[in-house]
Amino acid sequence: MGAKPVMLVTGAGRGIGAAVAKLAAARGYDLVLTWRHGQAAAEATAAACREAGATVELIQADAGDPAANARCFAALDSRFGRLDALVANAGITGPASDFLDSTDATWAEVFRVNVLGLAATCREASRRMATGHGGRGGGIVALSSRAAEIGSAFEFIHYAATKGAVDSMVAGLSKELAGQGIRVNAVAPGMIDTDIHASAGIPERIGRIVPNIPLRRMGTPEEVAEVVLFLLSPASAYVTGAILPVGGGR
């Protein structure tokens, strides 16, 4: 078991999660990376991290599945025996729709992954990092969204509601875990240049929203990753309970 710090990044196969993993590898972390869909992309992310010097454990896991969550942490314990940072990035939008056309199934699935999955992952990670449980302390960064404040009317109210829950969880956990040596923060991205919009079935959304962004462009996954790594670094040692918007002013 090495002396390098260990980070768990959920949903690390592509997009923001992949960018976080690659930057963390470059900054000296060993990594446990999970992915749900897109094996080739996940393996490419893991390969890039290894090339940067990281030891990587790559695990297929649905963030909202308790059995998969248990397998993930068992693999972490076996491979590294420690955890120093969690980036809880895994999440889904569900299909875009007006609220009146949304279904119970969509609401249940998005909450299962984005809220219940997040809670389970944070709980298991905290048990390993908490100084009162023999851990070294550490940091958690959850991926929220500007949707939590904006509300995403006519498209993603179900998704926005889950990110509001993420913000509430971060507020509570930051207080409860501070005495255990764990800082808990969130990053709230806005329009980021990933495939999430096309995956939700509305690729044209980009053209509608970008003109309303004060910086007049989408952000990049790498720009979000820089903020995530800042929140896990000694440079932010007095920051906990923060929800930092990365939305170009929107």
Side-chain angles (χ1 to χ4, degrees), residues 120-135 177 182:
T121 302
C122 287
R123 187 166 56 243
E124 289 302 316
S126 297
R127 285 172 175 162
R128 287 159 174 79
M129 292 190 286
T131 54
H133 289 249
L177 297 176
I182 302 171

Side-chain angles (χ1 to χ4, degrees), residues 88-130:
N89 170 74
I92 60 174
T93 63
S97 73
D98 291 355
F99 173 70
L100 295 183
D101 294 326
S102 66
T103 67
D104 288 345
T106 290
W107 281 79
E109 177 66 0
V110 179
F111 268 81
R112 180 186 72 84
V113 175
N114 294 5
V115 180
L116 301 182
L118 173 65
T121 302
C122 287
R123 187 166 56 243
E124 289 302 316
S126 297
R127 285 172 175 162
R128 287 159 174 79
M129 292 190 286

Side-chain angles (χ1 to χ4, degrees), residues 30 55 64 117 130 142 154-155 203 215 224 226:
D30 286 333
T55 298
F154 303 105
E155 293 178 326
L215 289 185
V224 180
E226 287 284 0

Side-chain angles (χ1 to χ4, degrees), residues 58-99:
L58 182 64
I59 303 165
Q60 184 177 18
D62 174 346
D65 178 1
N69 195 48
R71 288 197 304 272
C72 171
F73 280 96
L76 184 153
D77 293 340
S78 176
R79 185 71 179 269
F80 297 110
R82 65 182 288 173
L83 181 64
D84 301 276
L86 165 65
V87 179
N89 170 74
I92 60 174
T93 63
S97 73
D98 291 355
F99 173 70

Side-chain angles (χ1 to χ4, degrees), residues 6-10 32-34 72-73 76 83 85-88 121 125:
V6 176
M7 178 187 294
L8 167 60
V9 185
T10 65
V32 177
L33 307 178
T34 74
C72 171
F73 280 96
L76 184 153
L83 181 64
L86 165 65
V87 179
T121 302

